[in-house]
Amino acid sequence: MNFIKNTLAIALFFGLFFKSFGQQSLEAGKVEPYQLEVTYNKTTHLIFPASIRYADLGSDYLIAGKAEDAQNVLRVKAGVKGFAEETNFSVITEDGKFYNFNVTYSPAPMTLNYDLLKMQQDNEREEGKTVQFEELGFNPPSLTEGLLKAIYQKNKRNIRHIASKSYGIQFLLKGIYVHNGKFYFHTEVKNTSNVPFITDFCTFKIVDKQVAKRTVSQEKQLIPLREYPMMEIISDDSSASNVVLVDQFTITDDQILKIALYEKNGARNQVLEINNSDLVDAKPVSEMKIKINQ
């Protein structure tokens, strides 16, 4: 009997201990919400430091959506006029940052537009925890975004033998970089014609070098994970570059990587052909001496 009493006492003690420990842990990791007022007849805009990946509304009291052609701007307004209860919504951005907002209704909010980056800098506020994205593996999203921007801004041309040119459009590969199981492809488009080049889409495919007649071609398409910046319109007599992130891979000597750039409603498509020797010579990001704030 004493054994049973002692066992129950020990179980109760540890139950209370772990309950208390769990409460303390959650409190220590709490993400402080922003306070936001919305109204029915006007729209509130939130400008985030990075593109919005996910947004979740706490109730039907709110209506929200990304602004057209602005992936880092969220529009929010009241879906119900004069709601009394507090509600909330959360946002995750492509750099892995999590934001939480507590929302109340106001017939006349003092402010309708907010710049989250400026608010963070002015308040020296450290934003919530970093969210990990499955497609990025062990790479923090903030590090990935930082590397994309750093390669783009350095704008160095390490590769000079891979390019295509026709109809006044030149498409060239400036560099291949590798870091933590990911390739960073730095490309550039030069338009020397009088007609703007409007990008439709770009594909990355592994194909056989030579396909004999009656032989089925083996083809594998790679899915770009990130792109910075989005390459859309290259005006006449101008150029634009970007950096595309894909999972690390290798190919045989009988295969090539084809990067194909397609023009919207046009025929000035361009193709780059990359051999395995180019891939294995990819420049490690560590050699670039880039300082990234994570």
Side-chain angles (χ1 to χ4, degrees), residues 29-187:
K30 183 173 68 174
V31 178
E32 290 292 341
Y34 288 103
Q35 303 298 321
L36 183 68
E37 292 182 335
V38 297
T39 191
Y40 186 76
N41 295 319
K42 295 181 180 180
T43 300
T44 296
H45 289 85
L46 301 170
I47 305 171
F48 291 88
S51 298
I52 299 166
R53 182 187 179 101
Y54 164 92
D56 180 73
L57 305 180
S59 71
D60 293 335
Y61 292 157
L62 301 176
I63 300 173
K66 285 192 288 187
E68 295 180 7
D69 301 323
Q71 296 297 308
N72 67 321
V73 178
L74 186 72
R75 301 176 297 181
V76 184
K77 67 183 302 184
V80 177
K81 194 170 186 177
F83 65 83
E85 299 177 11
E86 183 182 77
T87 186
N88 76 328
F89 69 92
S90 301
V91 173
I92 297 175
T93 52
E94 288 288 0
D95 58 358
K97 295 300 176 63
F98 176 86
Y99 300 83
N100 187 35
F101 301 83
N102 286 343
V103 186
T104 55
Y105 185 89
S106 171
M110 292 290 292
T111 306
L112 290 173
N113 302 305
Y114 297 89
D115 185 337
L116 272 296
L117 178 60
K118 185 176 186 301
M119 290 170 60
Q120 293 167 19
Q121 292 173 340
D122 290 348
N123 299 331
E124 296 184 352
R125 171 174 176 166
E126 183 179 353
E127 271 312 308
K129 305 303 180 184
T130 298
V131 177
Q132 292 294 112
F133 296 140
E134 183 179 355
E135 71 271 17
L136 298 182
F138 295 105
N139 296 305
S142 57
L143 173 63
T144 301
E145 294 290 321
L147 289 176
L148 289 168
K149 293 178 181 179
I151 293 170
Y152 172 78
Q153 291 168 356
K154 275 187 171 289
N155 200 30
K156 294 186 66 176
R157 186 175 181 183
N158 301 313
I159 296 176
R160 298 186 176 275
H161 64 284
I162 300 176
S164 69
K165 186 176 182 180
S166 61
Y167 307 109
I169 302 297
Q170 184 180 22
F171 185 37
L172 53 92
L173 182 66
K174 303 188 75 170
I176 305 174
Y177 302 88
V178 63
H179 181 72
N180 279 0
K182 307 295 179 186
F183 276 133
Y184 295 77
F185 289 89
H186 187 193
T187 65

Side-chain angles (χ1 to χ4, degrees), residues 241-288:
S241 68
N242 73 345
V243 185
V244 179
L245 178 74
V246 300
D247 281 322
Q248 182 181 308
F249 63 95
T250 56
I251 55 179
T252 69
D253 290 336
D254 296 326
Q255 296 175 311
I256 57 173
L257 171 67
K258 279 191 174 183
I259 303 178
L261 180 68
Y262 293 88
E263 181 182 23
K264 187 173 183 179
N265 299 324
R268 296 180 293 177
N269 306 327
Q270 305 292 321
V271 178
L272 301 178
E273 296 187 352
I274 300 164
N275 292 305
N276 189 51
S277 57
D278 300 308
L279 294 173
V280 297
D281 284 340
K283 191 176 184 64
V285 167
S286 58
E287 293 184 6
M288 298 179 64

